[in-house]
Structures are given as structure tokens and as C-alpha cells.
Amino acid sequence: MEEKSPNAFLYSLLFVFLSVSIASSNSSQFQTQTLVPNSLPHAPSLSWPESVTINSYPESATTLSLHLHHIDALSFNKTPEQLFHLRLQRDAARVKTFTSMASVLNKTQPRGYGSGSGFSSSVISGLSQGSGEYFTRLGVGTPARNVYMVLDTGSDVVWLQCAPCRQCYSQTDPVFDPTKSKSFAGIPCRSPLCNRLDSPGCNTKNVCQYQVSYGDGSFTVGDFSTETLTFGRTGVARVALGCGHDNEGLFVGAAGLLGLGRGSLSFPSQTGNRFNQKFSYCLVDRSASTKLSSVDFGETAVPPTARFTPLLKNPKIDTFYYVELLGFSVGGAPVRGISASLFRLDRTGNGGVIIDSGTSVTRLTRTAYVALRNAFRVGAAHLKRAPEFSLFDTCYNLSGLAEVKVPTVVLHFRGADVSLPVSNYLIPVDTSGSFCFAFAGTMGGLSIIGNIQQQGFELCMI
């Protein structure tokens, strides 16, 4: 990744980070950081060199690196305020989906289907996607056809739109035609791969049928198949993916989704032997136009300075990356009223804390959020308050100020303390100098660490 941040925030069966520096090194003093107020950024320009199409791929490579972009890059003719509003709309829909999944522990079935049913790349974050915030560019098939794909740690199944379409949404590139690929193959209905789907189906040609639905009503249905995916000049053969012929909902711009969850059909799980069960991603500040976000697979995914925290397993949902959050500190002091019990994942699969690349704003159980917010308000009492904004109830008017001192915020995980950069928790919400505390409360038991708080850290799953 270009100009990778010195902070490393790594998960795996463990998770890693490098803490950031703070203004006061004396733990007995109130600790602050300096914020230089910047306005909401405009949509980033999208510049992506096309991969060279080749007929033979180095399939022995054990590392892989991809560049990522934010979905804003695919949103044209929108103001910074409009882009931010869309981001919050997507965020609310995604959190609602996750909360529902965690509490109900079942999936909505789309109509007409049974109920049984080491490399690195640049990543683009997507604001209009309810299914994720970041995109990458990759090749599909042989010869490779380049398309944009959402990367999402909250999903498992890899899928993309395919011709012929019964129903397809608008995407930037031509829809993939599997009949023009030498490496495309349908998966038989009774194969082990087909049986790993949550709700497999079977058509009259004995080809396995998949379906994936999302909480906002979006869904994709089609043939479950294997295909070669190409990242730059690195080919990954026989990836199980959905070839969607009926795709409806909020999937705008990208051709499909590359699932990075913990389930057995996610891309990291399918390629675990090749990439030694390791991958990481680093999301840069969206206002940092000179840097690119990235995803890495293989040994290069784990920096030597990483610290680790154990990943927890939910017995009911295998997709999410659960971590053990113990508490918070503000200004160098532990926040009173927050204990590890507020974030505990119980034996029935309720509660807990997940790390998610596609959620923007961190959500905490209501009791924990109120305690954290109140501690921050006390430490930021010298700042001029501004009206509430959307889901944010703690905002400040920083217009005309060149810099301000802000209390530090530290997340305490099992075995690792993560000191957030100030731009990861006090963020601009308009172009007039309004900044808000970028956490929110939820009435449910599930807490989510969002990508605003992850910016500048490298998160590693091993």
C-alpha cells in the first residue's frame, strides 16, 4: 500500500495495532490531541490503470496486495454534504441488518427460492452501497474482464452480476458473460461446495443455485460456480462464487461483492491454504488524497510490530469478526460506568463487539455510549457546542479555528490498547465548521467498531 500508516491495527485469531502518540506522556495529567479542522472532502477522483490481460497467470504466488477506493469515487455530481448524508443512510441500513441478524439469527429468503437453501489490491470505499463501503478492481474469467467489486468483512459469499440478466442493476463496467470465459464452471447440485450454502437450490440443468439477501431488501440470485479471479498479474483459480442473473436493490456501480467474512465460503477462507490463513486491510483517511487504502493476503499481511487480541467465535453466526472490548479511556482516565460486561458475547450468541469494514460510525450499547459521550463532553467543555446532527448528539462549532485541543480516546481490548487519532472520533459533518463526536448508541446488545475509527490502522486477521 502506498504510504502505509505507521499505525498497525491487526486482528486475527488475534488482532494487532500500534498506538498513536498523545500530547501528554504523564499519565497523571489530562491527555489531549491537536485537531486541525478540515471541511468535508469532495468526492475523490477515480484513476485506476487497467490490468494487462494475459492468458497465463502466476498461480503460485503466496502473497497478494490490492488497492481500494471509497464508494464516493463512483458517486458523481454530488456535494460533500450529499455524499456524507448518503453515507449515513447506508450506515443506518447496515447496522439495522446486523442487529437483526444477531438477534434473530436467521436470514430473509428472496422470493421464489427454497428455505434450505498473499496478495494486495487497492480498495475503493462505496457510499451508495448498503453492502459495503470500499471497492477494488479485479479481473474475472479467462481472459480476464476487469470489474469493480465491493469488499466486505460482513459478508461471506463472493458474487457478481452475470449475463443473461433477468434483472440487473446499473454497473460501471459491462456485465460479465460467463459463456466467454474458458475457466467458468457450474457447481453440481450435490457437491460439497453447494451444500455449504445457507439456502442452496438446484435448477433443471443440475447446477447449484445460490441466493443472498440483505436487510435493505437487496438480493442476488443465480448459478453457484467456480471461476478464476485475477488481481494485477496474480491469478486465483477455482474461486466459488455466485453468478447472479437476478440482482435487485442498492448495488450501484460495482459488479458484485468479494466477501471477506469468517464463513467457509468467503474469499479468505477459500484461499486460506495458499495465503497461509492471513489477510489484512488498511483504510486511510478519506481526505488523504495522496494515499490509497489496501488489502493484503499472505505473509505480508502481518507487520512485525503488530499487537494481538483474540478473535472470539459466535456459536450462531460464523461471518463476523468478534473481539473482546474491555473499556475506554478519555483524556488518559478510564471511563467510569463502562465495564467489560457491557460488551460480552454470551453463550447464546447475543451481545459482543464486531469489527466491520462496511459500517462507518462505531455503535456501542446505549449504557456504554452515554458514559463515553459524557466523559468526552467534560473533557471538551472548552469547545463551543453546535446543534445535534443526524445520529450525532455531541457536536461543536469549530469554524474559524486553526487548531483545537481535544481529549484523547483509547479503546482497551484484551491484550491491546488502541489510541485513536483525533480525526477518527471528531469528524466534520458539513462545510461550515461543524464537527461531531463520531460514536453513537444502540438499544441492541451488539456493538460495532466502524471504519471511521479504523482509519490509519492495519487490521490483520490470522
Side-chain angles (χ1 to χ4, degrees):
M1 182 184 75
E2 181 181 342
E3 296 182 54
K4 218 177 230 184
S5 166
N7 304 320
F9 192 126
L10 310 175
Y11 313 94
S12 0
L13 289 176
L14 303 151
F15 115 108
V16 196
F17 78 83
L18 290 178
S19 59
V20 298
S21 60
I22 52 181
S24 172
S25 59
N26 186 336
S27 60
S28 65
Q29 297 179 0
F30 187 77
Q31 297 174 353
T32 62
Q33 296 188 87
T34 299
L35 172 69
V36 177
N38 293 312
S39 185
L40 279 174
H42 290 270
S45 59
L46 180 59
S47 176
W48 210 299
E50 292 293 328
S51 302
V52 177
T53 300
I54 52 182
N55 293 319
S56 61
Y57 307 100
E59 296 187 356
S60 59
T62 57
T63 62
L64 176 64
S65 181
L66 308 171
H67 289 149
L68 305 176
H69 287 271
H70 194 272
I71 192 175
D72 284 356
L74 298 180
S75 301
F76 305 106
N77 303 318
K78 288 184 171 57
T79 66
E81 288 89 347
Q82 289 172 328
L83 291 173
F84 189 66
H85 180 68
L86 288 172
R87 180 181 178 187
L88 295 181
Q89 281 185 322
R90 288 193 309 274
D91 210 46
R94 186 177 179 89
V95 170
K96 182 179 180 180
T97 299
F98 283 1
T99 302
S100 175
M101 287 177 65
S103 59
V104 179
L105 300 178
N106 60 22
K107 295 184 176 70
T108 301
Q109 305 300 323
R111 37 197 181 89
Y113 278 74
S115 60
S117 31
F119 78 81
S120 169
S121 165
S122 303
V123 177
I124 298 184
S125 64
L127 292 178
S128 59
Q129 307 287 338
S131 56
E133 287 286 293
Y134 291 84
F135 294 83
T136 194
R137 188 85 164 150
L138 56 85
V140 180
T142 306
R145 308 291 176 127
N146 293 310
V147 296
Y148 291 112
M149 295 280 279
V150 177
L151 280 79
D152 184 17
T153 60
S155 301
D156 291 326
V157 176
V158 180
W159 64 268
L160 77 159
Q161 296 199 113
C162 287
C165 283
R166 289 193 295 271
Q167 177 71 42
C168 281
Y169 58 85
S170 176
Q171 66 178 57
T172 304
D173 299 292
V175 173
F176 176 70
D177 185 348
T179 64
K180 296 181 179 179
S181 172
K182 299 176 183 178
S183 50
F184 181 87
I187 294 173
C189 293
R190 296 187 179 276
S191 71
L193 270 178
C194 186
N195 290 333
R196 281 155 64 180
L197 289 167
D198 290 328
S199 304
C202 189
N203 67 11
T204 57
K205 297 180 180 179
N206 194 38
V207 174
C208 182
Q209 302 292 288
Y210 83 99
Q211 60 85 13
V212 177
S213 56
Y214 300 89
D216 59 4
S218 304
F219 65 85
T220 174
V221 173
D223 301 329
F224 201 45
S225 52
T226 60
E227 183 57 288
T228 295
L229 301 183
T230 305
F231 305 85
R233 288 186 175 270
T234 300
V236 181
R238 296 177 294 279
V239 176
L241 53 79
C243 192
H245 300 291
D246 189 356
N247 317 283
E248 301 181 33
L250 299 179
F251 310 116
V252 179
L257 184 143
L258 192 72
L260 299 180
R262 297 177 75 183
S264 64
L265 290 175
S266 73
F267 184 76
S269 295
Q270 291 192 55
T271 59
N273 289 337
R274 177 170 175 177
F275 299 122
N276 201 20
Q277 311 292 335
K278 298 175 182 178
F279 88 94
S280 68
Y281 65 89
C282 180
L283 308 178
V284 301
D285 189 329
R286 296 171 191 181
S287 62
S289 58
T290 62
K291 299 180 180 180
L292 287 176
S293 299
S294 69
V295 174
D296 289 87
F297 294 82
E299 293 301 324
T300 56
V302 184
T305 53
R307 295 186 193 177
F308 297 85
T309 190
L311 283 178
L312 307 179
K313 185 174 179 61
N314 187 324
K316 299 293 182 65
I317 303 177
D318 59 5
T319 299
F320 300 146
Y321 292 91
Y322 281 87
V323 292
E324 189 174 5
L325 181 61
L326 304 178
F328 286 82
S329 291
V330 171
V335 176
R336 303 178 70 176
I338 295 183
S339 65
S341 63
L342 295 175
F343 308 115
R344 184 169 296 128
L345 174 65
D346 66 28
R347 294 181 179 179
T348 65
N350 294 316
V353 179
I354 66 172
I355 302 289
D356 181 44
S357 65
T359 299
S360 291
V361 179
T362 290
R363 304 308 207 277
L364 303 174
T365 58
R366 185 67 186 172
T367 299
Y369 170 70
V370 170
L372 176 66
R373 176 202 66 188
N374 290 347
F376 184 83
R377 285 179 175 178
V378 170
H382 60 289
L383 301 178
K384 183 180 178 181
R385 290 292 296 272
E388 296 180 1
F389 183 94
S390 185
L391 77 168
F392 303 120
D393 63 7
T394 300
C395 301
Y396 301 91
N397 181 357
L398 305 184
S399 60
L401 300 177
E403 62 179 37
V404 294
K405 295 293 185 182
V406 177
T408 57
V409 174
V410 178
L411 286 73
H412 300 292
F413 294 93
R414 174 74 63 189
D417 296 332
V418 178
S419 299
L420 297 180
V422 65
S423 58
N424 287 27
Y425 57 90
L426 195 60
I427 64 170
V429 296
D430 59 25
T431 56
S432 303
S434 296
F435 283 69
C436 295
F437 188 53
F439 290 82
T442 175
M443 299 308 293
L446 178 69
S447 294
I448 306 171
I449 307 298
N451 60 48
I452 291 176
Q453 282 66 41
Q454 297 172 36
Q455 288 179 167
F457 292 96
E458 186 170 4
L459 288 76
C460 303
M461 288 67 169
I462 60 177

